[in-house]
């Protein structure tokens, strides 16, 4: 049984919740135990958000500890850095190269570290950078960048294409089914395994 | 059938399976989804009540009327509902009644982190605490049984990590629960002193019986392992303990009030070192120590915030797992959305340098930089009373430079009485109602002034203008929230006027308007003066030579065009 801890980080409104629910549905279909921890309310308003996905034989805490994530799925570069220390040794950061300025940067009280992804690579993290927004745009809707990321992760972790695709199809609203399946396919194909 | 459910949806399912007929709530994170999910069951009457006190009173009426009823709120909502709760504890129930309260350790979306378990002790009602979604469903059903068997309201305590975590739930069919007969019973339900004295004895008898019986309750259970360490815990902390110390002996409490004293003594006797791991207040620890049992608790664990498996492991074994240090990056706190109708109001308030008493809602974010417009935020409805009190302390001239701001839903929740007070006691007050026609922060729930019920059925629309006039406001005017010039003029005029004035800044929440909107762009006239950045709009970013507007976020509210002095912002067709 696949034991997998995925931390999904992003900015409120980027669809981390939906992404985690796709993984939850996938886990359940595999017969795994699974827990997801979500963020609702105040913290969703354009703030930094993080959702935890844990699957395996038996899951107790729904929360991933620092150093406990197999994969950090980051929808934004700065958020990848914010949660990088959650990744375990040998784990992986899959990051959308999109940059969203936090208010502290907009008002000039802080600077967006432009080279942040290079810095993470230097620190020894196993980084996979993805143009999720561009890929989603090609699939038909930039809002499907979250599902592009799921596609990328499925390919990188050698998860069965059909089973994850099914989980995507069952998790997204009916009216955006087609574009999300397309986004998943594009994300999956965007990754070239060595 | 197995399903992944958040704890809140599992409570809703439990209510359905328990044959609940009436569900009432005022929205509040992390409890809101319980009643939203319940509203999807046509078998259950559900409502958004104007506040938690009314919600509980409606549920109590349903219980006296013979139905099983559930009432859901966040932890601070129990403060509002405490009055009916404490006396309903005396009357007891007819149909079972469960009060669900969701605590928020770590304050993900709250103004304090009070511990609701203290309410169970103070009101003398039993309280159950689930540790995952399956238990959330099962304990909800059990709470109804306990409520009816012991003639008491029962409380179910959730914390954010249970309420908002998904885990696997096995669904069952609903019970058939008949409406109980209703018969007038004044001695039980009319709480005048003579009757209440008798009922208080019933409360004592019932709590003694519960304190004895809970020793045999299967949800209180000992899991023996390595007996050198024994940990008493409940709720989500149980999950952290199992992950951190899988070999340790554990007494898992499903019922956190009253405590199973015999079980605790037995467990304490059979382990070498006893620990109490509980988030927030030392509620279990204080009672265990009062039993004369030695244990370690808050000398190892904080009363602040959320616990984790790692911190429990470290506190008990002294071992810290080596983890990398976080990378230091600029913080990203929540902000008012692009196009939020509250933004213009706070921009004007900041510009006029007024003292602003504010309230609970999305608009608490008006306190953040760069808007920086808020002086005080306390609890639901407090803005109006606070502004009135400031005038009484500092005088009429001070009040000319001060306003209270409150959301539409919050005003109905508990602001109306504050307005009546200011009028009655000859205050000089300017109140701005930020009317976005919804309960925004909790995810857009209807309320009496939105004109729709929880099931989206049209209903009587509460007219805020007429209500404020009826309260005695000498001036009530409505301004479009995007009209900053109109707002500024209105605020200047009303703060200059004697008596109590109300300005209703009205425009619906931008997230509710799904229509395709145009957007704004920055042209070559931009001098990079950065005035537009003072709006704190997430769609506007600062550049080397000019500001820029993110097309994907812009909703064409036009505020930036209004503040720009150089005509550098123009509208574009999407």
């Amino acid at each position: 049984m696949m034991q997998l801890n995925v931390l999904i980080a992003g900015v409120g409104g980027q669809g981390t919740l939906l992404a985690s629910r796709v993984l939850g549905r996938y886990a359940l279909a595999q017969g795994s135990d699974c827990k997801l921890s979500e963020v609702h309310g105040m913290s969703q308003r354009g703030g930094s958000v993080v959702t935890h996905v844990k699957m395996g034989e038996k899951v107790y805490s729904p929360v991933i500890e620092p150093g406990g994530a197999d994969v950090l799925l980051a929808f934004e570069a700065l958020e990848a850095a914010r949660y990088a220390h959650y990744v375990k040794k040998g784990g992986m950061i899959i990051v959308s190269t999109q940059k969203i300025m936090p208010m502290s940067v907009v008002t000039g009280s802080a600077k967006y570290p432009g080279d942040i992804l290079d810095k993470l690579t230097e620190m020894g993290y196993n980084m996979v950078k993805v143009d999720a927004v561009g890929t989603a745009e090609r699939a038909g809707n930039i809002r499907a960048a979250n599902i592009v990321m799921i596609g990328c992760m499925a390919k990188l972790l050698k998860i069965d294409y059909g089973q994850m695709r099914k989980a995507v199809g069952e998790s997204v609203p009916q009216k955006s089914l087609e574009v999300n399946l397309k986004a998943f396919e594009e994300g999956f194909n965007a990754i070239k395994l060595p | 059938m197995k399903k992944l459910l958040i704890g809140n949806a599992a409570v809703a399912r439990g209510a359905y399976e328990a044959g609940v007929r009436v569900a009432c709530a005022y929205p509040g994170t992390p409890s809101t989804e319980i009643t939203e999910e319940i509203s999807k069951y046509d078998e259950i009457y559900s409502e958004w009540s104007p506040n938690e006190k009314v919600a509980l009173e409606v549920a109590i009426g349903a219980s006296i009327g013979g139905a099983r009823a559930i009432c859901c709120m966040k932890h601070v909502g129990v403060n509002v509902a405490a009055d009916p709760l404490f006396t309903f504890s005396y009357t007891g129930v007819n149909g079972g009644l469960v009060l669900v309260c969701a605590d928020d350790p770590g304050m993900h979306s709250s103004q304090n982190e009070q511990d609701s378990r203290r309410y169970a002790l103070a009101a003398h009602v039993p309280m159950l605490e689930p540790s995952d979604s399956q238990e959330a469903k099962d304990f909800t059903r059990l709470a109804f049984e306990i409520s009816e068997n012991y003639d008491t309201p029962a409380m179910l305590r959730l914390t954010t990590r249970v309420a908002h975590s998904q885990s696997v739930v096995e669904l069952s069919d609903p019970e058939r629960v008949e409406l109980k007969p209703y018969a007038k019973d004044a001695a039980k339900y009319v709480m005048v002193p003579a009757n209440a004295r008798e009922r208080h004895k019933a409360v004592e008898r019932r709590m003694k019986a519960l304190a004895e019986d809970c020793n045999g309750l299967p949800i209180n259970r000992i899991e023996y392992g390595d007996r050198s360490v024994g940990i008493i815990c409940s709720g989500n902390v149980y999950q952290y303990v199992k992950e951190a110390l899988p070999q340790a002996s554990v007494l898992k409490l499903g019922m956190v009030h009253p405590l199973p004293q015999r079980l605790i003594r037995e467990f304490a006797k059979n382990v070498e070192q006893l620990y109490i791991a509980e988030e927030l207040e030392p509620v279990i620890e204080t009672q265990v120590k009062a039993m004369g049992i030695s244990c370690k608790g808050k000398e190892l664990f904080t009363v602040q915030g959320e616990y984790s498996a790692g911190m429990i492991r470290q506190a008990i074994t002294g071992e810290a797992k080596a983890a990398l240090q976080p990378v230091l990056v600029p913080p990203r706190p929540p902000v008012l959305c692009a196009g939020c109708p509250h933004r213009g109001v706070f921009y004007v308030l900041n510009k006029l340098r007024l003292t602003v008493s504010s309230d609970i809602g999305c608009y608490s974010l008006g306190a953040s930089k760069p808007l920086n417009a808020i002086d005080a935020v306390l609890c639901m409805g407090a803005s109006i009373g606070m502004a009135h009190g400031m005038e009484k302390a500092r005088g009429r001239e001070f009040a000319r430079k001060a306003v209270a701001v409150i959301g539409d839903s919050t005003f109905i929740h508990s602001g109306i009485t504050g307005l009546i007070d200011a009028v009655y006691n000859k205050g000089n007050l300017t109140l701005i109602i930020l009317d976005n026609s919804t309960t925004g922060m909790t995810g857009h729930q209807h309320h009496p002034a939105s004109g729709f019920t929880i099931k989206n059925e049209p209903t009587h629309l509460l007219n805020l203008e007429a209500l404020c006039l009826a309260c005695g406001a000498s001036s009530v005017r409505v301004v479009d929230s995007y009209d900053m010039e109109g707002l500024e003029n209105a605020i200047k005029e009303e703060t200059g006027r004697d008596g109590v004035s109300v300005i209703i800044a009205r425009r619906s929440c931008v997230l509710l308007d799904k229509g395709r909107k145009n957007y704004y762009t920055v042209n070559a006239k931009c001098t990079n003066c950065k005035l537009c950045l003072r709006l704190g709009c997430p769609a506007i970013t600062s550049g080397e030579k000019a500001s820029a507007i993110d097309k994907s976020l812009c909703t064409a509210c036009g505020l930036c065009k209004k503040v720009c002095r150089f005509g550098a912002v123009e509208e574009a067709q999407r």
Side-chain angles (χ1 to χ4, degrees):
Chain A
M1 182 165 299
M2 190 176 207
Q3 171 139 6
L4 185 66
N5 291 347
V6 182
L7 196 73
I8 307 177
V11 178
Q14 280 192 307
T16 56
L17 227 65
L18 178 65
S20 70
R21 288 175 181 193
V22 170
L23 297 183
R25 204 173 278 268
Y26 166 79
L28 209 59
Q30 306 305 304
S32 290
D33 191 13
C34 177
K35 285 185 180 168
L36 317 176
S37 195
E38 309 180 340
V39 174
H40 301 226
M42 169 72 102
S43 29
Q44 276 179 301
R45 298 275 173 267
S48 167
V49 293
V50 62
T51 61
H52 305 244
V53 181
K54 294 173 84 171
M55 57 184 95
E57 185 76 36
K58 170 77 188 161
V59 180
Y60 286 109
S61 165
V63 181
I64 299 170
E65 303 275 318
D70 299 286
V71 175
L72 168 59
L73 203 59
F75 293 177
E76 200 274 343
L78 198 60
E79 299 312 310
R82 195 183 313 282
Y83 296 102
H85 64 290
Y86 274 79
V87 177
K88 64 168 73 153
K89 236 183 164 151
M92 182 192 304
I93 299 178
I94 309 171
V95 55
S96 163
T97 49
Q98 187 182 12
K99 288 179 181 164
I100 301 174
M101 301 299 140
M103 198 47 67
S104 54
V105 171
V106 171
T107 58
S109 67
K111 256 189 118 66
Y112 193 105
D115 57 347
I116 190 70
L117 295 183
D118 298 334
K119 214 181 265 174
L120 292 176
T121 308
E122 275 168 36
M123 288 171 74
Y125 287 107
N126 177 13
M127 306 281 294
V128 181
K129 296 178 213 169
V130 182
D131 175 20
V133 174
T135 310
E137 203 161 16
R138 281 195 297 282
N141 190 342
I142 55 172
R143 297 187 57 81
N146 54 348
I147 301 300
V148 169
M149 297 291 287
I150 294 286
C152 297
M153 190 186 99
K155 180 75 162 281
L156 285 159
L157 296 183
K158 303 190 174 70
I159 289 172
D160 182 80
Y161 177 84
Q163 290 183 14
M164 190 61 90
R165 186 178 184 275
K166 186 163 173 277
V168 170
E170 289 169 358
S171 305
V172 301
Q174 198 56 38
K175 61 180 198 294
S176 60
L177 177 67
E178 210 169 306
V179 66
N180 277 303
L181 290 179
K182 182 86 181 125
F184 175 71
E185 184 190 332
E186 295 270 347
F188 195 88
N189 292 332
I191 300 290
K192 305 286 176 236
L193 292 179
Chain B
M1 193 178 66
K2 279 187 176 173
K3 236 181 147 176
L4 265 181
L5 293 178
I6 58 169
N8 283 345
V11 171
R13 178 72 196 188
Y16 167 70
E17 291 181 7
V20 162
R21 287 169 190 264
V22 174
C24 319
Y26 180 79
T29 313
S31 71
T32 312
E33 299 82 3
I34 304 170
T35 313
E36 280 183 327
E37 289 296 323
I38 286 178
S39 75
K40 295 175 187 166
Y41 294 106
D42 285 333
E43 295 85 346
I44 304 176
Y45 167 81
S46 55
E47 70 168 48
W48 293 128
S49 311
N51 65 33
E52 294 85 354
K53 178 177 185 287
V54 175
L56 183 56
E57 289 156 353
V58 174
I60 288 170
S63 163
I64 294 174
R68 285 191 165 182
I70 194 166
C71 181
C72 311
M73 58 196 68
K74 69 182 295 172
H75 59 323
V76 285
V78 189
N79 301 335
V80 180
D83 201 2
L85 171 66
F86 276 62
T87 306
F88 187 53
S89 168
Y90 281 31
T91 70
V93 303
N94 185 17
L97 184 139
V98 174
L99 190 166
V100 187
C101 62
D103 288 9
D104 190 15
M107 293 178 275
H108 293 272
S109 197
S110 300
Q111 66 270 41
N112 75 22
E113 43 186 354
Q114 69 186 43
D115 191 326
S116 306
R117 294 177 300 170
R118 290 250 161 94
Y119 268 115
L121 270 84
H124 300 290
V125 296
M127 176 182 260
L128 307 185
E129 185 178 20
S131 71
D132 61 17
S133 297
Q134 181 68 53
E135 286 188 352
K137 193 196 80 158
D138 295 343
F139 287 17
T140 302
R141 296 186 64 167
L142 179 63
F144 279 102
E145 284 174 31
I146 290 171
S147 170
E148 287 175 357
N149 292 344
Y150 292 87
D151 193 9
T152 176
M155 291 178 80
L156 184 79
R157 182 206 191 210
L158 307 176
T159 52
T160 302
R161 286 296 170 193
V162 173
H164 286 164
S165 288
Q166 299 209 24
S167 57
V168 182
V169 179
E170 181 76 48
L171 305 185
S172 313
D173 293 328
E175 282 173 58
R176 268 198 69 86
V177 181
E178 296 301 326
L179 198 63
K180 291 200 171 169
Y182 173 75
K184 181 170 175 171
D185 185 353
K188 180 165 158 62
Y189 294 116
V190 179
M191 284 302 93
V192 292
N195 291 342
R197 280 182 204 112
E198 288 308 307
R199 290 304 306 172
H200 197 181
K201 292 175 194 163
V203 170
E204 197 175 355
R205 279 197 301 275
R206 142 189 116 206
M207 293 314 286
K208 277 186 177 154
L210 263 164
E212 177 52 35
D213 297 351
C214 70
N215 288 289
L217 206 60
I219 61 168
N220 293 326
R221 64 164 191 266
I222 296 176
E223 300 170 4
Y224 280 120
D226 169 7
R227 299 201 180 198
S228 64
V229 171
I231 305 163
I232 300 178
C233 54
S234 67
N236 47 312
V237 176
Y238 165 78
Q239 306 291 355
Y240 305 149
V241 166
K242 293 297 280 186
E243 181 166 310
L245 302 162
Q247 308 305 325
S249 295
V250 173
L251 168 52
K252 180 187 186 298
L253 298 175
M255 184 182 265
V256 291
H257 185 68
L259 293 181
Q261 294 207 2
R262 272 196 288 119
L263 208 59
I264 290 171
R265 283 189 201 286
E266 179 195 324
F267 185 65
K269 220 178 338 173
N270 286 300
V271 297
E272 277 170 42
Q273 177 62 55
L274 183 65
Y275 297 90
I276 317 282
E278 53 187 328
E279 281 176 343
L280 303 182
E281 300 295 313
V283 176
I284 300 171
E285 181 186 343
T286 307
Q287 296 178 76
V288 170
K289 284 187 168 156
M291 288 163 65
I293 295 171
S294 127
C295 60
K296 286 188 181 166
K298 292 298 175 190
E299 63 262 57
L300 297 175
F301 298 105
T302 172
V303 296
Q304 318 275 333
E306 292 190 291
Y307 288 8
S308 68
M311 75 100 88
I312 287 170
R313 187 186 305 113
Q314 189 172 356
I316 291 181
T317 67
E319 294 165 28
K321 248 196 186 171
L324 287 165
Q325 286 303 306
V327 182
L328 284 178
V329 290
R332 192 191 300 273
V335 290
L336 294 174
C337 304
C340 175
H342 304 325
R343 174 169 288 107
V345 177
F346 287 116
Y347 182 85
V348 170
L349 293 175
N350 183 31
K351 182 180 164 193
L352 297 176
R353 304 198 176 284
L354 300 183
T355 299
V356 178
S357 317
S358 186
D359 227 294
I360 305 288
C362 287
Y363 51 92
S364 306
L365 295 170
S368 320
K369 283 179 183 168
L371 291 166
N372 244 345
I374 292 175
D375 290 68
V377 171
L378 196 68
C379 68
M380 294 288 287
S383 56
I384 306 174
M386 288 194 297
H388 177 57
M390 279 175 119
E391 190 219 342
K392 294 303 174 192
R394 304 192 71 85
R396 175 70 188 107
E397 283 314 302
F398 182 84
R400 287 188 206 283
K401 295 288 283 174
V403 295
V405 298
I406 191 167
D408 46 341
S409 189
T410 309
F411 177 63
I412 296 163
H413 177 284
S414 49
I416 300 166
T417 42
L419 180 61
I420 290 171
D421 178 59
V423 171
Y424 168 57
N425 288 305
K426 302 179 181 176
N428 294 291
L429 176 88
T430 302
L431 169 65
I432 303 173
I433 300 178
L434 303 166
D435 180 6
N436 63 356
S437 310
T438 188
T439 316
M441 174 63 80
T442 46
H444 304 116
Q445 290 75 32
H446 284 301
H447 61 63
S450 79
F452 293 89
T453 69
I454 193 171
K455 286 186 183 279
N456 285 313
E457 292 157 356
T459 182
H460 180 84
L461 177 82
L462 175 66
N463 182 325
L464 291 178
E465 294 92 309
L467 173 66
C468 293
L469 284 171
C471 290
S474 49
S475 157
V476 178
R477 55 206 274 182
V478 180
V479 185
D480 181 341
S481 306
Y482 283 169
D483 176 8
M484 288 196 286
E485 197 186 338
L487 276 169
E488 185 170 338
N489 291 336
I491 292 168
K492 281 178 179 163
E493 277 174 40
E494 299 302 340
T495 50
R497 195 198 295 269
D498 287 337
V500 174
S501 307
V502 178
I503 300 167
I504 300 175
R506 179 170 287 155
R507 180 164 282 262
S508 47
C509 174
V510 70
L511 299 181
L512 291 177
D513 182 4
K514 304 272 189 211
R516 206 175 171 84
K517 302 174 193 87
N518 287 343
Y519 63 98
Y520 282 77
T521 58
V522 179
N523 64 28
K525 292 183 201 160
C526 179
T527 64
N528 212 14
C529 76
K530 299 188 189 295
L531 188 60
C532 56
L533 298 177
R534 290 205 205 155
L535 286 164
C537 175
I540 308 176
T541 50
S542 166
E544 294 268 311
K545 294 197 177 111
S547 291
I549 297 171
D550 183 336
K551 173 183 164 184
S552 70
L553 291 174
C554 181
T555 67
C557 72
L559 296 192
C560 50
K561 186 179 167 73
K562 285 172 187 150
V563 300
C564 181
R565 293 169 183 164
F566 303 98
V569 180
E570 53 189 72
E571 194 164 356
Q573 299 283 330
R574 200 173 285 273

